[in-house]
Amino acid sequence: MMRKPTQLFMLLFVGIVLWWSRADAGSAVCFSCHEKSAFSGPVVHQPVASGECVTCHNPHVARYDGLLSQSVADLCYSCHTKEAKAFTKGIMHIPVSQGKCLACHEPHKADAKGLINGRLRDRCLACHKTLTAQYQVTHAPYARGQCEACHQPHNAGNTMLLRDDDPDRLCSSCHNQDKVRQAHPNYPVAVKGCLTCHNPHGSSRANLVRNTLHAPYAKGCTGCHVAGQSTVPVETCLGCHKEISGQLRTIHSHLIGGNSCTNCHSPHAGDEKRLLRGRQMQICRTCHEDTYRRFEKSTYVHTESVKECNECHAVHGSNHMAMLRGDGNGVCSRCHETQGKFTHPVGDKARDQRTGQPMTCVNCHNPHGSEYKGQMRLNPEKELCNQCHQGY
Amino acid sequence: MLIERLLRRAVPWVLCILLLSTWVPAAVAGPWQWKINLQGQTPPDAMIMPSALEFDTAKDRYYVVDSGNNRLMSFDREGKLLSAFNAGDSLQAPYDMVRDEKGVLWVVEKGRNSLTSIDLSGKTTVPHTLSYQGRTVYADRLAYAAGQFYVLDRASGGILVFDQDLQGKQSFDCPDCGDGGFVDFKLQGGELWALSMLNRTIYRFGADGRLAAKISLGDAARFPVSLAVDPAGPIYVLERHQGGIAAFDATGELKYRFLEPGQTRGQLYFPVELQIDPWGQLCVVDEGNGRVQIFGRY
């Protein structure tokens, strides 16, 4: 008979040996087929380094590609618990919100810290295809491929995922303010709003000034500004852009206080003739984050060919619901021609029995996205039709 | 024995949990119950994009601005349609309205950007273009109290006060809204309550224009477009995209949500305005569904 302390010691010893051998034996078996050198490099993921292949993979059978025991995000967040919590705050980078950690990170080994292979910028440009790799004049961090110098890779408090919600403050973290003032002589007001003139990535003009100048700005400041004042009323803009006035005299418009024009358009310089402050969807998202998120999270979304919000919405103003370009039929049938002619009766003669309103496409379809095929608002095999056709 | 003892102890707890589970949903559904709709079911009565609601306590009437049909509708308190009025087909995108003490209707016409007076007895309609400190006012929401017009100006984002001669007297401006102003306001208890959509904040001003309090709604508000201040305490905020109402306390803490998106009774589709009527009922101008839904207290 062994004494109790001796029994406990033996058990503990056996346990440690089994645990130790389990990991090593597991990886040894894996590496009998999978080339071990493919899993070594300057930076190795900790579970790989400790030979714990089974932390992520099931050696026999799994529901996920690569014999993963869970989805990629669930696996990553099972260890990276702090990140799991932190990344849900604010606005998430699309791969993060979709749980696609491997869009940027390597799971086994990589060249650089953060398990990133090659230059980070190449990873960024693989998705951000509208960005130019090289400009005539390129911002130094961009040229060095240091996207993370300005942008947060996972989430941030702003739609551009900038490291600081105030872009001016972000610029001044590198650009000395005294030098900035010297570079803008005769400026009657404080120098601010860097991005209204400068492209932070690059440009064809010196000093990263955006390529297309607003005509009055090209001539000077006094075309729009009263001396000493930085703010310009919306009427000043409408004084030239008279065609917009009518669009603002509508039931729903984007006049929202301040100078509403400059919420979307740069008053000084832009990258294209509309002088937009960025990609249209990005601009709209600044205020319509809730819509964007619903759109993003839907299983069935409106076709990917819809690139800009103004394909359906009159972005200045409209007398239609949701600032649409027309009623719920006219807007859809511009693209969906067949459905506009051969479908459930729509228009004034077919009324929605729930509300008495004319039937339109959006009575049944959610134009942004939904959980049902065809972007139906409800399950078409269950409750959708029964909403009106209760006898069926 | 052990199992029996455990079961005996568990029974009261299970009963408590069951009781709570039946009681909690009733509580969080809010104290409101659907009563009537203001709507015309069939053409030409059906409303298209109603945008605002006004009351007549003397005649027990509701007035609805039927903006999509360029007309005003009146209903009795039971929801029966009484009449429709389009000022000789002259209204252009009417959006909001008030009645002054003389019975003159003042209508915000977005189509001509005017505050239009309609004297029903004299059968006259006069559009007025408002300006404040030399700038054109883009009138939006409208209220009337003590002989003064309160006009939400979409150009400045502030709320402007005009006298009977439409001379600008005062403004209530958002101190920190940046490139965006107020989207709605209500006069309640001698104070002006204004809602900023972008800041998701309610600003409470004294009659003198001084800011008395800021109530941050935080992420609990998503796309708030209108507010109603209940004299009984809660502040109701209408969510346009989410099709629901969120009730907050005076500190901005979310108390509960009620109503949901959709087309059937008690559901909302692009609602645009929230009001508490003189009879203490909560009224939702349900723009997308072409109706006004009225909820009474349980």
Short mmCIF file of all heavy atoms in Angstrom, two decimals, chain B residues 54-56 58 98-106 144-149 163-164:
data_model
loop_
_atom_site.label_atom_id
_atom_site.label_comp_id
_atom_site.label_asym_id
_atom_site.label_seq_id
_atom_site.Cartn_x
_atom_site.Cartn_y
_atom_site.Cartn_z
N GLU B 54 -51.85 68.03 -36.01
CA GLU B 54 -52.21 69.22 -35.22
C GLU B 54 -53.56 68.95 -34.57
O GLU B 54 -54.33 68.09 -35.04
CB GLU B 54 -52.25 70.45 -36.15
CG GLU B 54 -52.82 71.73 -35.56
CD GLU B 54 -51.98 72.33 -34.43
OE1 GLU B 54 -51.04 71.67 -33.97
OE2 GLU B 54 -52.30 73.44 -33.98
N PHE B 55 -53.86 69.69 -33.51
CA PHE B 55 -55.07 69.40 -32.73
C PHE B 55 -55.95 70.64 -32.60
O PHE B 55 -55.47 71.77 -32.65
CB PHE B 55 -54.68 68.93 -31.32
CG PHE B 55 -53.51 68.00 -31.31
CD1 PHE B 55 -52.24 68.45 -30.98
CD2 PHE B 55 -53.67 66.68 -31.67
CE1 PHE B 55 -51.16 67.61 -30.98
CE2 PHE B 55 -52.59 65.81 -31.68
CZ PHE B 55 -51.34 66.28 -31.34
N ASP B 56 -57.22 70.38 -32.41
CA ASP B 56 -58.18 71.45 -32.12
C ASP B 56 -58.98 70.99 -30.91
O ASP B 56 -59.89 70.15 -31.03
CB ASP B 56 -59.09 71.67 -33.34
CG ASP B 56 -60.05 72.83 -33.12
OD1 ASP B 56 -60.25 73.22 -31.94
OD2 ASP B 56 -60.61 73.33 -34.12
N ALA B 58 -61.00 72.68 -29.02
CA ALA B 58 -62.36 73.22 -28.96
C ALA B 58 -63.33 72.34 -29.76
O ALA B 58 -64.45 72.09 -29.32
CB ALA B 58 -62.37 74.65 -29.50
N VAL B 98 -49.95 74.66 -37.93
CA VAL B 98 -50.50 75.00 -36.62
C VAL B 98 -51.77 75.81 -36.85
O VAL B 98 -52.03 76.30 -37.96
CB VAL B 98 -49.51 75.83 -35.75
CG1 VAL B 98 -48.30 75.01 -35.38
CG2 VAL B 98 -49.10 77.13 -36.46
N ARG B 99 -52.55 75.97 -35.79
CA ARG B 99 -53.74 76.84 -35.82
C ARG B 99 -53.52 77.92 -34.80
O ARG B 99 -53.17 77.61 -33.65
CB ARG B 99 -54.99 76.03 -35.42
CG ARG B 99 -55.81 75.50 -36.55
CD ARG B 99 -56.98 74.71 -36.00
NE ARG B 99 -58.17 75.53 -35.84
CZ ARG B 99 -58.63 75.98 -34.68
NH1 ARG B 99 -58.00 75.72 -33.57
NH2 ARG B 99 -59.73 76.69 -34.64
N ASP B 100 -53.68 79.17 -35.18
CA ASP B 100 -53.54 80.21 -34.16
C ASP B 100 -54.88 80.42 -33.46
O ASP B 100 -55.89 79.78 -33.80
CB ASP B 100 -52.94 81.49 -34.75
CG ASP B 100 -53.89 82.22 -35.70
OD1 ASP B 100 -55.09 81.91 -35.69
OD2 ASP B 100 -53.41 83.10 -36.46
N GLU B 101 -54.89 81.34 -32.49
CA GLU B 101 -56.11 81.49 -31.68
C GLU B 101 -57.29 82.06 -32.47
O GLU B 101 -58.44 81.93 -32.07
CB GLU B 101 -55.85 82.34 -30.41
CG GLU B 101 -55.32 83.73 -30.66
CD GLU B 101 -53.80 83.74 -30.81
OE1 GLU B 101 -53.14 82.86 -30.27
OE2 GLU B 101 -53.30 84.65 -31.49
N LYS B 102 -56.97 82.66 -33.64
CA LYS B 102 -58.06 83.18 -34.47
C LYS B 102 -58.59 82.10 -35.44
O LYS B 102 -59.48 82.37 -36.23
CB LYS B 102 -57.57 84.38 -35.29
CG LYS B 102 -57.24 85.59 -34.44
CD LYS B 102 -56.61 86.66 -35.33
CE LYS B 102 -55.96 87.73 -34.49
NZ LYS B 102 -54.98 88.50 -35.25
N GLY B 103 -58.01 80.96 -35.39
CA GLY B 103 -58.46 79.88 -36.28
C GLY B 103 -57.76 79.89 -37.62
O GLY B 103 -58.10 79.10 -38.51
N VAL B 104 -56.78 80.78 -37.79
CA VAL B 104 -56.03 80.80 -39.06
C VAL B 104 -55.06 79.62 -39.07
O VAL B 104 -54.38 79.35 -38.07
CB VAL B 104 -55.26 82.14 -39.22
CG1 VAL B 104 -54.39 82.11 -40.48
CG2 VAL B 104 -56.23 83.31 -39.25
N LEU B 105 -55.01 78.93 -40.19
CA LEU B 105 -54.06 77.82 -40.32
C LEU B 105 -52.75 78.36 -40.88
O LEU B 105 -52.75 79.18 -41.82
CB LEU B 105 -54.61 76.76 -41.28
CG LEU B 105 -55.97 76.15 -40.96
CD1 LEU B 105 -56.33 75.09 -42.02
CD2 LEU B 105 -55.98 75.53 -39.59
N TRP B 106 -51.66 77.94 -40.32
CA TRP B 106 -50.32 78.30 -40.82
C TRP B 106 -49.65 77.00 -41.24
O TRP B 106 -49.48 76.10 -40.43
CB TRP B 106 -49.52 79.01 -39.74
CG TRP B 106 -50.10 80.33 -39.34
CD1 TRP B 106 -51.12 80.53 -38.47
CD2 TRP B 106 -49.71 81.62 -39.83
NE1 TRP B 106 -51.40 81.88 -38.36
CE2 TRP B 106 -50.54 82.58 -39.18
CE3 TRP B 106 -48.75 82.07 -40.73
CZ2 TRP B 106 -50.44 83.95 -39.43
CZ3 TRP B 106 -48.63 83.44 -40.97
CH2 TRP B 106 -49.48 84.36 -40.33
N TYR B 144 -46.71 76.71 -32.24
CA TYR B 144 -47.28 78.04 -31.97
C TYR B 144 -47.64 78.11 -30.50
O TYR B 144 -48.29 77.20 -29.96
CB TYR B 144 -48.53 78.23 -32.84
CG TYR B 144 -49.19 79.58 -32.67
CD1 TYR B 144 -48.70 80.71 -33.33
CD2 TYR B 144 -50.32 79.73 -31.87
CE1 TYR B 144 -49.31 81.94 -33.18
CE2 TYR B 144 -50.94 80.95 -31.72
CZ TYR B 144 -50.43 82.06 -32.38
OH TYR B 144 -51.03 83.29 -32.23
N ALA B 145 -47.20 79.17 -29.85
CA ALA B 145 -47.54 79.34 -28.44
C ALA B 145 -47.44 80.82 -28.09
O ALA B 145 -46.50 81.50 -28.53
CB ALA B 145 -46.59 78.53 -27.55
N ALA B 146 -48.40 81.28 -27.31
CA ALA B 146 -48.41 82.67 -26.80
C ALA B 146 -48.16 83.68 -27.92
O ALA B 146 -47.35 84.61 -27.76
CB ALA B 146 -47.37 82.82 -25.68
N GLY B 147 -48.82 83.50 -29.02
CA GLY B 147 -48.72 84.47 -30.10
C GLY B 147 -47.42 84.44 -30.87
O GLY B 147 -47.12 85.37 -31.64
N GLN B 148 -46.62 83.41 -30.66
CA GLN B 148 -45.34 83.33 -31.38
C GLN B 148 -45.23 82.01 -32.15
O GLN B 148 -45.71 80.97 -31.70
CB GLN B 148 -44.18 83.43 -30.39
CG GLN B 148 -44.16 84.74 -29.63
CD GLN B 148 -42.84 84.92 -28.89
OE1 GLN B 148 -42.07 85.81 -29.19
NE2 GLN B 148 -42.61 84.06 -27.93
N PHE B 149 -44.55 82.11 -33.30
CA PHE B 149 -44.29 80.92 -34.10
C PHE B 149 -42.87 80.42 -33.79
O PHE B 149 -41.93 81.21 -33.75
CB PHE B 149 -44.37 81.24 -35.60
CG PHE B 149 -45.73 81.66 -36.04
CD1 PHE B 149 -46.04 83.01 -36.19
CD2 PHE B 149 -46.72 80.72 -36.30
CE1 PHE B 149 -47.30 83.42 -36.59
CE2 PHE B 149 -47.99 81.11 -36.71
CZ PHE B 149 -48.29 82.47 -36.85
N ASP B 163 -42.66 86.61 -34.39
CA ASP B 163 -43.90 87.16 -33.84
C ASP B 163 -45.01 87.06 -34.90
O ASP B 163 -44.80 86.53 -36.00
CB ASP B 163 -43.69 88.59 -33.33
CG ASP B 163 -43.30 89.55 -34.45
OD1 ASP B 163 -43.48 89.19 -35.65
OD2 ASP B 163 -42.80 90.65 -34.15
N GLN B 164 -46.17 87.62 -34.56
CA GLN B 164 -47.31 87.51 -35.48
C GLN B 164 -47.04 88.20 -36.81
O GLN B 164 -47.64 87.84 -37.83
CB GLN B 164 -48.56 88.14 -34.82
CG GLN B 164 -49.19 87.27 -33.75
CD GLN B 164 -50.06 86.16 -34.33
OE1 GLN B 164 -50.08 85.94 -35.53
NE2 GLN B 164 -50.75 85.41 -33.47
#
